[in-house]
mmCIF file of all heavy atoms in Angstrom:
data_model
loop_
_atom_site.group_PDB
_atom_site.id
_atom_site.type_symbol
_atom_site.label_atom_id
_atom_site.label_comp_id
_atom_site.label_asym_id
_atom_site.label_seq_id
_atom_site.Cartn_x
_atom_site.Cartn_y
_atom_site.Cartn_z
ATOM 1 N N THR A 735 8.689 37.535 10.884
ATOM 2 C CA THR A 735 8.387 38.965 10.997
ATOM 3 C C THR A 735 7.581 39.498 9.809
ATOM 4 O O THR A 735 7.223 40.670 9.779
ATOM 5 C CB THR A 735 9.688 39.768 11.100
ATOM 6 O OG1 THR A 735 10.534 39.434 9.988
ATOM 7 C CG2 THR A 735 10.418 39.432 12.398
ATOM 8 N N ALA A 736 7.321 38.647 8.831
ATOM 9 C CA ALA A 736 6.555 39.059 7.648
ATOM 10 C C ALA A 736 5.837 37.824 7.113
ATOM 11 O O ALA A 736 6.394 37.047 6.337
ATOM 12 C CB ALA A 736 7.466 39.662 6.581
ATOM 13 N N LEU A 737 4.598 37.649 7.537
ATOM 14 C CA LEU A 737 3.846 36.457 7.169
ATOM 15 C C LEU A 737 3.268 36.574 5.760
ATOM 16 O O LEU A 737 2.922 37.672 5.297
ATOM 17 C CB LEU A 737 2.696 36.237 8.154
ATOM 18 C CG LEU A 737 3.052 36.065 9.630
ATOM 19 C CD1 LEU A 737 1.782 35.816 10.429
ATOM 20 C CD2 LEU A 737 4.055 34.944 9.836
ATOM 21 N N ILE A 738 3.179 35.464 5.075
ATOM 22 C CA ILE A 738 2.366 35.354 3.864
ATOM 23 C C ILE A 738 0.917 35.286 4.336
ATOM 24 O O ILE A 738 0.586 34.490 5.220
ATOM 25 C CB ILE A 738 2.737 34.093 3.078
ATOM 26 C CG1 ILE A 738 4.206 34.129 2.653
ATOM 27 C CG2 ILE A 738 1.828 33.916 1.874
ATOM 28 C CD1 ILE A 738 4.740 32.798 2.162
ATOM 29 N N THR A 739 0.039 36.118 3.775
ATOM 30 C CA THR A 739 -1.321 36.191 4.323
ATOM 31 C C THR A 739 -2.395 36.043 3.256
ATOM 32 O O THR A 739 -2.225 36.467 2.109
ATOM 33 C CB THR A 739 -1.543 37.527 5.061
ATOM 34 O OG1 THR A 739 -1.399 38.617 4.140
ATOM 35 C CG2 THR A 739 -0.555 37.704 6.194
ATOM 36 N N ASP A 740 -3.504 35.448 3.681
ATOM 37 C CA ASP A 740 -4.749 35.406 2.905
ATOM 38 C C ASP A 740 -4.558 34.668 1.572
ATOM 39 O O ASP A 740 -4.706 35.242 0.493
ATOM 40 C CB ASP A 740 -5.278 36.823 2.676
ATOM 41 C CG ASP A 740 -6.748 36.824 2.258
ATOM 42 O OD1 ASP A 740 -7.383 35.756 2.327
ATOM 43 O OD2 ASP A 740 -7.247 37.888 1.844
ATOM 44 N N ILE A 741 -4.234 33.387 1.680
ATOM 45 C CA ILE A 741 -4.081 32.519 0.508
ATOM 46 C C ILE A 741 -5.279 31.584 0.481
ATOM 47 O O ILE A 741 -5.512 30.824 1.426
ATOM 48 C CB ILE A 741 -2.773 31.698 0.573
ATOM 49 C CG1 ILE A 741 -1.583 32.611 0.916
ATOM 50 C CG2 ILE A 741 -2.558 30.943 -0.729
ATOM 51 C CD1 ILE A 741 -1.303 33.704 -0.070
ATOM 52 N N ARG A 742 -6.053 31.607 -0.592
ATOM 53 C CA ARG A 742 -7.304 30.856 -0.660
ATOM 54 C C ARG A 742 -7.329 29.945 -1.879
ATOM 55 O O ARG A 742 -7.086 30.397 -3.007
ATOM 56 C CB ARG A 742 -8.487 31.829 -0.708
ATOM 57 C CG ARG A 742 -8.483 32.842 0.430
ATOM 58 C CD ARG A 742 -9.669 33.781 0.378
ATOM 59 N NE ARG A 742 -9.791 34.482 -0.897
ATOM 60 C CZ ARG A 742 -9.069 35.540 -1.245
ATOM 61 N NH1 ARG A 742 -8.129 36.009 -0.430
ATOM 62 N NH2 ARG A 742 -9.271 36.134 -2.409
ATOM 63 N N LEU A 743 -7.635 28.673 -1.635
ATOM 64 C CA LEU A 743 -7.803 27.709 -2.700
ATOM 65 C C LEU A 743 -9.202 27.131 -2.617
ATOM 66 O O LEU A 743 -9.656 26.742 -1.537
ATOM 67 C CB LEU A 743 -6.781 26.579 -2.599
ATOM 68 C CG LEU A 743 -5.328 26.885 -2.989
ATOM 69 C CD1 LEU A 743 -4.629 27.685 -1.910
ATOM 70 C CD2 LEU A 743 -4.558 25.598 -3.269
ATOM 71 N N SER A 744 -9.877 27.070 -3.753
ATOM 72 C CA SER A 744 -11.215 26.479 -3.766
ATOM 73 C C SER A 744 -11.391 25.633 -5.020
ATOM 74 O O SER A 744 -10.884 25.967 -6.093
ATOM 75 C CB SER A 744 -12.292 27.571 -3.707
ATOM 76 O OG SER A 744 -12.229 28.421 -4.824
ATOM 77 N N ASP A 745 -12.077 24.509 -4.845
ATOM 78 C CA ASP A 745 -12.390 23.605 -5.958
ATOM 79 C C ASP A 745 -11.127 23.189 -6.719
ATOM 80 O O ASP A 745 -11.111 23.171 -7.954
ATOM 81 C CB ASP A 745 -13.406 24.246 -6.907
ATOM 82 C CG ASP A 745 -14.710 24.579 -6.199
ATOM 83 O OD1 ASP A 745 -15.351 23.651 -5.690
ATOM 84 O OD2 ASP A 745 -15.064 25.776 -6.131
ATOM 85 N N CYS A 746 -10.092 22.874 -5.960
ATOM 86 C CA CYS A 746 -8.813 22.457 -6.545
ATOM 87 C C CYS A 746 -8.554 20.982 -6.255
ATOM 88 O O CYS A 746 -8.955 20.465 -5.201
ATOM 89 C CB CYS A 746 -7.662 23.294 -5.993
ATOM 90 S SG CYS A 746 -7.751 25.051 -6.427
ATOM 91 N N THR A 747 -7.881 20.314 -7.175
ATOM 92 C CA THR A 747 -7.552 18.904 -7.021
ATOM 93 C C THR A 747 -6.071 18.698 -7.310
ATOM 94 O O THR A 747 -5.578 19.112 -8.365
ATOM 95 C CB THR A 747 -8.382 18.035 -7.980
ATOM 96 O OG1 THR A 747 -9.772 18.257 -7.733
ATOM 97 C CG2 THR A 747 -8.061 16.561 -7.796
ATOM 98 N N PHE A 748 -5.383 18.051 -6.371
ATOM 99 C CA PHE A 748 -3.964 17.755 -6.520
ATOM 100 C C PHE A 748 -3.779 16.244 -6.461
ATOM 101 O O PHE A 748 -4.033 15.622 -5.425
ATOM 102 C CB PHE A 748 -3.150 18.420 -5.406
ATOM 103 C CG PHE A 748 -3.288 19.919 -5.342
ATOM 104 C CD1 PHE A 748 -4.285 20.509 -4.573
ATOM 105 C CD2 PHE A 748 -2.429 20.739 -6.060
ATOM 106 C CE1 PHE A 748 -4.410 21.889 -4.504
ATOM 107 C CE2 PHE A 748 -2.546 22.125 -6.009
ATOM 108 C CZ PHE A 748 -3.543 22.701 -5.232
ATOM 109 N N GLY A 749 -3.356 15.657 -7.560
ATOM 110 C CA GLY A 749 -3.128 14.217 -7.603
ATOM 111 C C GLY A 749 -1.653 13.876 -7.585
ATOM 112 O O GLY A 749 -0.814 14.675 -8.002
ATOM 113 N N GLU A 750 -1.339 12.678 -7.109
ATOM 114 C CA GLU A 750 0.036 12.165 -7.057
ATOM 115 C C GLU A 750 1.000 13.181 -6.439
ATOM 116 O O GLU A 750 2.046 13.495 -7.008
ATOM 117 C CB GLU A 750 0.523 11.741 -8.439
ATOM 118 C CG GLU A 750 -0.149 10.489 -8.970
ATOM 119 C CD GLU A 750 0.561 9.937 -10.188
ATOM 120 O OE1 GLU A 750 1.808 9.854 -10.175
ATOM 121 O OE2 GLU A 750 -0.147 9.588 -11.155
ATOM 122 N N VAL A 751 0.622 13.696 -5.281
ATOM 123 C CA VAL A 751 1.501 14.607 -4.540
ATOM 124 C C VAL A 751 2.449 13.756 -3.702
ATOM 125 O O VAL A 751 2.022 12.947 -2.876
ATOM 126 C CB VAL A 751 0.687 15.552 -3.638
ATOM 127 C CG1 VAL A 751 1.620 16.483 -2.880
ATOM 128 C CG2 VAL A 751 -0.310 16.348 -4.476
ATOM 129 N N ALA A 752 3.747 13.935 -3.910
ATOM 130 C CA ALA A 752 4.733 13.052 -3.289
ATOM 131 C C ALA A 752 5.002 13.385 -1.831
ATOM 132 O O ALA A 752 5.283 12.481 -1.031
ATOM 133 C CB ALA A 752 6.035 13.100 -4.087
ATOM 134 N N GLN A 753 4.965 14.670 -1.464
ATOM 135 C CA GLN A 753 5.328 15.065 -0.107
ATOM 136 C C GLN A 753 4.299 16.015 0.477
ATOM 137 O O GLN A 753 3.562 16.684 -0.252
ATOM 138 C CB GLN A 753 6.712 15.725 -0.093
ATOM 139 C CG GLN A 753 7.840 14.798 -0.535
ATOM 140 C CD GLN A 753 9.208 15.423 -0.334
ATOM 141 O OE1 GLN A 753 9.399 16.281 0.517
ATOM 142 N NE2 GLN A 753 10.171 14.974 -1.130
ATOM 143 N N ALA A 754 4.275 16.072 1.822
ATOM 144 C CA ALA A 754 3.339 16.957 2.515
ATOM 145 C C ALA A 754 3.642 18.412 2.191
ATOM 146 O O ALA A 754 4.771 18.786 1.866
ATOM 147 C CB ALA A 754 3.432 16.731 4.021
ATOM 148 N N ASN A 755 2.604 19.232 2.301
ATOM 149 C CA ASN A 755 2.778 20.666 2.097
ATOM 150 C C ASN A 755 3.830 21.233 3.042
ATOM 151 O O ASN A 755 4.012 20.743 4.159
ATOM 152 C CB ASN A 755 1.467 21.412 2.356
ATOM 153 C CG ASN A 755 0.410 21.092 1.334
ATOM 154 O OD1 ASN A 755 0.706 20.779 0.194
ATOM 155 N ND2 ASN A 755 -0.854 21.179 1.746
ATOM 156 N N VAL A 756 4.501 22.269 2.587
ATOM 157 C CA VAL A 756 5.407 23.036 3.442
ATOM 158 C C VAL A 756 4.756 24.383 3.696
ATOM 159 O O VAL A 756 4.508 25.149 2.760
ATOM 160 C CB VAL A 756 6.791 23.220 2.775
ATOM 161 C CG1 VAL A 756 7.647 24.173 3.592
ATOM 162 C CG2 VAL A 756 7.487 21.877 2.623
ATOM 163 N N ILE A 757 4.441 24.662 4.950
ATOM 164 C CA ILE A 757 3.805 25.921 5.326
ATOM 165 C C ILE A 757 4.610 26.517 6.468
ATOM 166 O O ILE A 757 4.571 26.025 7.597
ATOM 167 C CB ILE A 757 2.343 25.731 5.779
ATOM 168 C CG1 ILE A 757 1.555 24.896 4.770
ATOM 169 C CG2 ILE A 757 1.691 27.083 6.025
ATOM 170 C CD1 ILE A 757 1.312 25.575 3.452
ATOM 171 N N GLN A 758 5.351 27.576 6.193
ATOM 172 C CA GLN A 758 6.162 28.236 7.210
ATOM 173 C C GLN A 758 5.846 29.727 7.220
ATOM 174 O O GLN A 758 5.984 30.392 6.191
ATOM 175 C CB GLN A 758 7.657 28.027 6.951
ATOM 176 C CG GLN A 758 8.097 26.576 6.996
ATOM 177 C CD GLN A 758 9.567 26.402 6.641
ATOM 178 O OE1 GLN A 758 10.285 27.388 6.428
ATOM 179 N NE2 GLN A 758 10.009 25.168 6.564
ATOM 180 N N ASN A 759 5.412 30.221 8.357
ATOM 181 C CA ASN A 759 5.165 31.653 8.529
ATOM 182 C C ASN A 759 4.144 32.183 7.532
ATOM 183 O O ASN A 759 4.401 33.095 6.752
ATOM 184 C CB ASN A 759 6.484 32.426 8.429
ATOM 185 C CG ASN A 759 7.508 31.941 9.433
ATOM 186 O OD1 ASN A 759 7.175 31.730 10.592
ATOM 187 N ND2 ASN A 759 8.741 31.746 8.988
ATOM 188 N N ALA A 760 2.975 31.549 7.572
ATOM 189 C CA ALA A 760 1.847 31.971 6.741
ATOM 190 C C ALA A 760 0.591 31.949 7.591
ATOM 191 O O ALA A 760 0.454 31.117 8.496
ATOM 192 C CB ALA A 760 1.695 31.053 5.535
ATOM 193 N N SER A 761 -0.340 32.842 7.302
ATOM 194 C CA SER A 761 -1.607 32.858 8.028
ATOM 195 C C SER A 761 -2.741 33.094 7.043
ATOM 196 O O SER A 761 -2.543 33.652 5.958
ATOM 197 C CB SER A 761 -1.605 33.957 9.095
ATOM 198 O OG SER A 761 -1.612 35.237 8.496
ATOM 199 N N GLY A 762 -3.929 32.644 7.448
ATOM 200 C CA GLY A 762 -5.094 32.863 6.596
ATOM 201 C C GLY A 762 -5.134 31.953 5.393
ATOM 202 O O GLY A 762 -5.720 32.305 4.375
ATOM 203 N N LEU A 763 -4.518 30.781 5.497
ATOM 204 C CA LEU A 763 -4.597 29.811 4.407
ATOM 205 C C LEU A 763 -5.931 29.093 4.482
ATOM 206 O O LEU A 763 -6.288 28.520 5.512
ATOM 207 C CB LEU A 763 -3.448 28.802 4.516
ATOM 208 C CG LEU A 763 -3.426 27.665 3.483
ATOM 209 C CD1 LEU A 763 -3.235 28.228 2.083
ATOM 210 C CD2 LEU A 763 -2.316 26.677 3.816
ATOM 211 N N SER A 764 -6.684 29.128 3.403
ATOM 212 C CA SER A 764 -8.036 28.561 3.400
ATOM 213 C C SER A 764 -8.205 27.616 2.221
ATOM 214 O O SER A 764 -7.950 27.995 1.073
ATOM 215 C CB SER A 764 -9.062 29.692 3.322
ATOM 216 O OG SER A 764 -10.348 29.177 3.086
ATOM 217 N N PHE A 765 -8.637 26.369 2.518
ATOM 218 C CA PHE A 765 -8.969 25.401 1.468
ATOM 219 C C PHE A 765 -10.474 25.154 1.523
ATOM 220 O O PHE A 765 -11.019 24.853 2.583
ATOM 221 C CB PHE A 765 -8.264 24.069 1.704
ATOM 222 C CG PHE A 765 -6.793 24.060 1.387
ATOM 223 C CD1 PHE A 765 -6.078 25.226 1.183
ATOM 224 C CD2 PHE A 765 -6.115 22.856 1.304
ATOM 225 C CE1 PHE A 765 -4.732 25.206 0.904
ATOM 226 C CE2 PHE A 765 -4.759 22.817 1.029
ATOM 227 C CZ PHE A 765 -4.067 23.993 0.831
ATOM 228 N N THR A 766 -11.129 25.245 0.374
ATOM 229 C CA THR A 766 -12.555 24.961 0.278
ATOM 230 C C THR A 766 -12.783 24.000 -0.884
ATOM 231 O O THR A 766 -12.435 24.310 -2.025
ATOM 232 C CB THR A 766 -13.362 26.257 0.040
ATOM 233 O OG1 THR A 766 -13.060 27.195 1.068
ATOM 234 C CG2 THR A 766 -14.851 25.963 0.030
ATOM 235 N N ARG A 767 -13.318 22.844 -0.578
ATOM 236 C CA ARG A 767 -13.537 21.787 -1.577
ATOM 237 C C ARG A 767 -12.246 21.482 -2.331
ATOM 238 O O ARG A 767 -12.213 21.498 -3.568
ATOM 239 C CB ARG A 767 -14.669 22.179 -2.527
ATOM 240 C CG ARG A 767 -16.022 22.339 -1.827
ATOM 241 C CD ARG A 767 -17.115 22.755 -2.798
ATOM 242 N NE ARG A 767 -16.817 24.023 -3.444
ATOM 243 C CZ ARG A 767 -17.033 25.221 -2.885
ATOM 244 N NH1 ARG A 767 -17.548 25.312 -1.672
ATOM 245 N NH2 ARG A 767 -16.731 26.326 -3.537
ATOM 246 N N VAL A 768 -11.209 21.206 -1.576
ATOM 247 C CA VAL A 768 -9.897 20.898 -2.135
ATOM 248 C C VAL A 768 -9.561 19.441 -1.851
ATOM 249 O O VAL A 768 -9.734 18.967 -0.722
ATOM 250 C CB VAL A 768 -8.815 21.821 -1.542
ATOM 251 C CG1 VAL A 768 -7.418 21.367 -1.961
ATOM 252 C CG2 VAL A 768 -9.050 23.263 -1.991
ATOM 253 N N LYS A 769 -9.071 18.734 -2.853
ATOM 254 C CA LYS A 769 -8.670 17.344 -2.690
ATOM 255 C C LYS A 769 -7.174 17.195 -2.943
ATOM 256 O O LYS A 769 -6.641 17.768 -3.901
ATOM 257 C CB LYS A 769 -9.426 16.439 -3.654
ATOM 258 C CG LYS A 769 -10.879 16.201 -3.271
ATOM 259 C CD LYS A 769 -11.522 15.172 -4.198
ATOM 260 C CE LYS A 769 -12.948 14.885 -3.771
ATOM 261 N NZ LYS A 769 -13.581 13.863 -4.660
ATOM 262 N N MET A 770 -6.520 16.429 -2.074
ATOM 263 C CA MET A 770 -5.119 16.068 -2.256
ATOM 264 C C MET A 770 -5.008 14.553 -2.173
ATOM 265 O O MET A 770 -5.424 13.951 -1.171
ATOM 266 C CB MET A 770 -4.236 16.718 -1.194
ATOM 267 C CG MET A 770 -4.155 18.220 -1.285
ATOM 268 S SD MET A 770 -3.005 18.893 -0.087
ATOM 269 C CE MET A 770 -3.274 20.645 -0.337
ATOM 270 N N ASN A 771 -4.489 13.969 -3.217
ATOM 271 C CA ASN A 771 -4.355 12.507 -3.279
ATOM 272 C C ASN A 771 -5.673 11.820 -2.928
ATOM 273 O O ASN A 771 -5.712 10.825 -2.204
ATOM 274 C CB ASN A 771 -3.240 12.025 -2.357
ATOM 275 C CG ASN A 771 -1.870 12.472 -2.849
ATOM 276 O OD1 ASN A 771 -1.689 12.801 -4.020
ATOM 277 N ND2 ASN A 771 -0.894 12.512 -1.954
ATOM 278 N N GLY A 772 -6.767 12.382 -3.424
ATOM 279 C CA GLY A 772 -8.082 11.793 -3.249
ATOM 280 C C GLY A 772 -8.777 12.126 -1.956
ATOM 281 O O GLY A 772 -9.941 11.767 -1.760
ATOM 282 N N LYS A 773 -8.131 12.846 -1.039
ATOM 283 C CA LYS A 773 -8.710 13.166 0.259
ATOM 284 C C LYS A 773 -9.213 14.610 0.267
ATOM 285 O O LYS A 773 -8.489 15.532 -0.087
ATOM 286 C CB LYS A 773 -7.673 12.980 1.358
ATOM 287 C CG LYS A 773 -8.204 13.283 2.758
ATOM 288 C CD LYS A 773 -7.120 13.099 3.804
ATOM 289 C CE LYS A 773 -7.632 13.456 5.189
ATOM 290 N NZ LYS A 773 -6.576 13.322 6.235
ATOM 291 N N LEU A 774 -10.457 14.785 0.703
ATOM 292 C CA LEU A 774 -11.036 16.121 0.789
ATOM 293 C C LEU A 774 -10.491 16.849 2.003
ATOM 294 O O LEU A 774 -10.457 16.326 3.113
ATOM 295 C CB LEU A 774 -12.559 16.026 0.895
ATOM 296 C CG LEU A 774 -13.322 17.354 0.898
ATOM 297 C CD1 LEU A 774 -13.177 18.065 -0.439
ATOM 298 C CD2 LEU A 774 -14.804 17.106 1.220
ATOM 299 N N ILE A 775 -10.022 18.086 1.795
ATOM 300 C CA ILE A 775 -9.454 18.906 2.860
ATOM 301 C C ILE A 775 -10.373 20.097 3.095
ATOM 302 O O ILE A 775 -10.700 20.835 2.172
ATOM 303 C CB ILE A 775 -8.042 19.405 2.483
ATOM 304 C CG1 ILE A 775 -7.154 18.252 2.044
ATOM 305 C CG2 ILE A 775 -7.430 20.177 3.639
ATOM 306 C CD1 ILE A 775 -6.910 17.219 3.109
ATOM 307 N N GLU A 776 -10.786 20.315 4.315
ATOM 308 C CA GLU A 776 -11.579 21.493 4.674
ATOM 309 C C GLU A 776 -10.880 22.229 5.814
ATOM 310 O O GLU A 776 -10.296 21.604 6.707
ATOM 311 C CB GLU A 776 -12.985 21.091 5.115
ATOM 312 C CG GLU A 776 -13.831 20.455 4.010
ATOM 313 C CD GLU A 776 -14.362 21.452 3.009
ATOM 314 O OE1 GLU A 776 -14.163 22.665 3.227
ATOM 315 O OE2 GLU A 776 -14.974 21.026 2.021
ATOM 316 N N ASN A 777 -10.965 23.546 5.819
ATOM 317 C CA ASN A 777 -10.365 24.357 6.886
ATOM 318 C C ASN A 777 -8.965 23.869 7.210
ATOM 319 O O ASN A 777 -8.655 23.473 8.336
ATOM 320 C CB ASN A 777 -11.243 24.311 8.138
ATOM 321 C CG ASN A 777 -12.628 24.834 7.863
ATOM 322 O OD1 ASN A 777 -12.793 25.797 7.126
ATOM 323 N ND2 ASN A 777 -13.634 24.193 8.431
ATOM 324 N N SER A 778 -8.089 23.923 6.212
ATOM 325 C CA SER A 778 -6.883 23.105 6.251
ATOM 326 C C SER A 778 -5.643 23.779 6.806
ATOM 327 O O SER A 778 -4.561 23.272 6.644
ATOM 328 C CB SER A 778 -6.567 22.645 4.835
ATOM 329 O OG SER A 778 -6.284 23.772 4.043
#
C-alpha cells in the first residue's frame, strides 16, 4: 500500500555480492551502467 519509488543507480559497481537483491513493493528502480559481480545490468 506504500511503494518505495524512483530509486536510480548509475555508474555503480558491486563486487563479491553474496546474495540476489531483495526488491519488495518498489517501483521505478533504474540501473544505468551498473555492474554486479562483473555483470552489466541495464533496465534492471
Side-chain angles (χ1 to χ4, degrees):
T735 54
L737 301 182
I738 300 166
T739 62
D740 197 10
I741 312 299
R742 306 181 305 281
L743 286 76
S744 62
D745 300 299
C746 296
T747 302
F748 301 90
E750 290 192 45
V751 180
Q753 297 188 26
N755 293 331
V756 172
I757 310 291
Q758 298 176 4
N759 303 315
S761 68
L763 177 64
S764 170
F765 285 14
T766 305
R767 297 179 300 279
V768 171
K769 286 186 177 181
M770 293 184 186
N771 292 339
K773 181 181 178 182
L774 184 66
I775 308 298
E776 295 284 354
N777 300 321
S778 63

